Amino acid sequence: MARGLMIFTIVSIWVSVFFSLLTIYGAVTFLLKNLKPPKRKLDPLVEYPLITIVVPAHNEEIVIKDTVRAILNLNYPKEQMEILVFADNCTDNTYEEALSVTRLPQYADFNIEIIQRRGKGGKAGVLNDALARAKGDWLCVYDADAMPERNALYFLVKKGIEDPKNYAAVFGRNKTRNYKQNFLTRCINLEVVTSQRIQHTGLWQLFKIGHIPGTNFIIQKNYAREIGGWDNGALTEDTALSFRIMEQGKLIALAPQAEAFQQEPETIGVYYRQRKRWAKGNYEVITGNLKHLFDKSNWRIKWEVFYYINTFFWFNCAIVISSGIFLVNLVTMLLNFIGFTLQMPFTFGGGNRQIAAILLVNWAMMFAIYLLQINIALVSQYGQATTENFLYSVASYFTYSQLFLGVSIVAFFSLVLDRIFKRDGTKWYKTQRFND
């Protein structure tokens, strides 16, 4: 039993290392292929389809004005934008704050509507309401805290019209706008930069696999209607939609120059509740799509299911078990040191040096790859490749990544308990905003 656990742990870590190196290879290839100086002037698009921009906002009075203003300043023909801002079941001044921007004289002739909504379904419910009334050819979604860069919509549309037959949706990159606030936001920034610059680019380069990130994306309106829109009440409606798109053989394309700036949690409590919801939602989606590993689904969705299993289940399980092996052996060594005579529970060949050496090599390898992917990502983003961020990346391995692992474990057991006791686990936690 003990030997089996050790072998499982070591093999699992090596599998995860393989996936990480493969993704890094794809990301570096993508970065080198797209290493071009930015154009001073953008070329006109061959067409400018009508875009319905949707902003779901629940009690977002702190951030909504900046987001609405950024959307109204997008470099896209204003007559080709329909903007719908939903003040969803708000108990604060979200509606009034958003409305105040539309009353500014420079925005008088924009097609924008601020809607007071009292429906159900959370963000997914808002998106389905918008889908039913949208006039645009594409639906564009920005969260209330996500300020798009001026050319973001231009680049999303440019990618979408490149291959509208295969590209059901297009997503851009998100950046942390408040990353300098404290140690937590610095670490979140490293996570965001790495996911955007390594995971997203690597998977797109190698397999043409993309994920709808929840904000800063467009989706073909008629296609979204055909597949039934968003799942009302889903904890991670974006991940669920991504799997449905891939299930039908369509692609979610990456537009790397389309960028938006979003606010991240600034306290541990807010971070814990947000990330727990995300992890739990991802677990729900994974368990709901396990069947695709064994049915006749296309290879991309099979790969995606396996990739998620490796990331959220297999690797986390291996880390927990390896930590347990280390702690049990450490406690046994300490007890023997103070006079007890106990046999080491986890050994190879009757000794502890072998297992210790193997686990040490595995740990060193994971640590090196962790730093490698973060710092490749930092180098590829302007202004991020600093000595300060390198030191934060080292510190984050021993702090932030362990916190993330803990949250993932709690989320998993929360989902298990929901299933056992038939609890309603779809309660939506509203992420607190900060007035930076």
Side-chain angles (χ1 to χ4, degrees), residues 61-74:
E61 63 179 0
I62 293 177
V63 295
I64 194 63
K65 287 177 70 173
D66 289 338
T67 300
V68 172
R69 191 178 291 112
I71 290 171
L72 290 168
N73 289 328
L74 283 168

Side-chain angles (χ1 to χ4, degrees), residues 89-110:
N89 294 289
C90 293
T91 56
D92 65 355
N93 294 321
T94 299
Y95 177 81
E96 291 78 10
E97 291 292 318
L99 198 62
S100 68
V101 179
T102 67
R103 290 171 176 163
L104 297 173
Q106 63 266 40
Y107 305 127
D109 55 350
F110 277 77

Side-chain angles (χ1 to χ4, degrees), residues 415-426:
L415 178 63
V416 170
L417 292 174
D418 288 346
R419 299 283 174 86
I420 293 174
F421 297 107
K422 302 186 184 305
R423 302 185 310 196
D424 180 12
T426 62

Side-chain angles (χ1 to χ4, degrees), residues 12-291:
S12 298
I13 290 173
W14 275 87
V15 169
S16 190
V17 165
F18 168 76
F19 273 104
S20 296
L21 290 175
L22 183 66
T23 307
I24 290 171
Y25 167 75
V28 171
T29 303
F30 180 90
L31 292 170
L32 293 176
K33 285 179 64 177
N34 292 273
L35 206 60
K36 303 173 184 176
K39 289 186 177 181
R40 291 181 177 272
K41 187 177 181 180
L42 299 177
D43 297 326
L45 298 178
V46 295
E47 62 173 307
Y48 288 88
L50 179 62
I51 308 295
T52 297
I53 302 175
V54 185
V55 183
H58 173 63
N59 290 342
E60 301 282 8
E61 63 179 0
I62 293 177
V63 295
I64 194 63
K65 287 177 70 173
D66 289 338
T67 300
V68 172
R69 191 178 291 112
I71 290 171
L72 290 168
N73 289 328
L74 283 168
N75 180 24
Y76 200 82
K78 60 185 176 184
E79 62 273 10
Q80 293 302 105
M81 291 192 297
E82 175 194 27
I83 305 169
L84 305 176
V85 180
F86 286 83
D88 180 34
N89 294 289
C90 293
T91 56
D92 65 355
N93 294 321
T94 299
Y95 177 81
E96 291 78 10
E97 291 292 318
L99 198 62
S100 68
V101 179
T102 67
R103 290 171 176 163
L104 297 173
Q106 63 266 40
Y107 305 127
D109 55 350
F110 277 77
N111 181 12
I112 179 169
E113 186 177 358
I114 314 299
I115 303 157
Q116 286 187 307
R117 181 180 184 270
R118 296 299 177 204
K120 297 180 180 179
K123 179 182 175 181
V126 170
L127 296 177
N128 285 326
D129 287 357
L131 183 61
R133 64 186 293 172
K135 298 175 183 176
D137 302 302
W138 296 76
L139 211 66
C140 175
V141 179
Y142 284 109
D143 284 345
D145 67 314
M147 295 169 54
E149 187 270 332
R150 179 167 164 74
N151 295 315
L153 184 57
Y154 168 91
F155 287 117
L156 290 172
V157 173
K158 181 181 179 182
K159 190 66 178 181
I161 62 178
E162 180 182 297
D163 187 4
K165 182 179 179 181
N166 291 308
Y167 295 167
V170 182
F171 70 105
R173 284 176 172 160
N174 299 311
K175 294 181 176 181
T176 304
R177 61 196 258 193
N178 58 329
Y179 77 93
K180 293 184 178 181
Q181 290 301 311
N182 53 44
F183 180 76
L184 177 63
T185 57
R186 292 274 188 177
C187 291
I188 294 174
N189 175 60
L190 297 178
E191 176 197 350
V192 171
V193 173
T194 304
S195 66
Q196 307 285 316
R197 300 278 174 167
I198 302 296
Q199 273 82 34
H200 290 178
T201 56
L203 290 175
W204 177 251
Q205 174 65 33
L206 295 173
F207 311 112
K208 292 296 179 283
I209 289 177
H211 312 91
I212 290 177
T215 187
N216 192 28
F217 72 91
I218 60 174
I219 183 169
Q220 292 188 37
K221 180 190 70 177
N222 290 336
Y223 178 78
R225 287 176 176 175
E226 287 175 13
I227 63 174
W230 285 262
D231 295 336
N232 280 345
L235 292 175
T236 50
E237 77 295 325
D238 46 357
T239 306
L241 184 64
S242 297
F243 271 89
R244 273 194 286 150
I245 291 173
M246 280 187 287
E247 187 178 353
Q248 297 201 353
K250 296 289 186 178
L251 299 179
I252 304 168
L254 171 63
Q257 293 173 291
E259 298 181 332
F261 299 84
Q262 64 186 18
Q263 191 181 84
E264 297 292 351
E266 296 182 8
T267 67
I268 293 293
V270 175
Y271 169 87
Y272 170 79
R273 288 184 287 271
Q274 183 195 64
R275 292 306 202 267
K276 180 187 174 186
R277 172 172 65 82
W278 288 1
K280 191 174 177 180
N282 285 330
Y283 285 132
E284 285 184 337
V285 173
I286 296 165
T287 55
N289 285 276
L290 281 175
K291 60 182 183 290

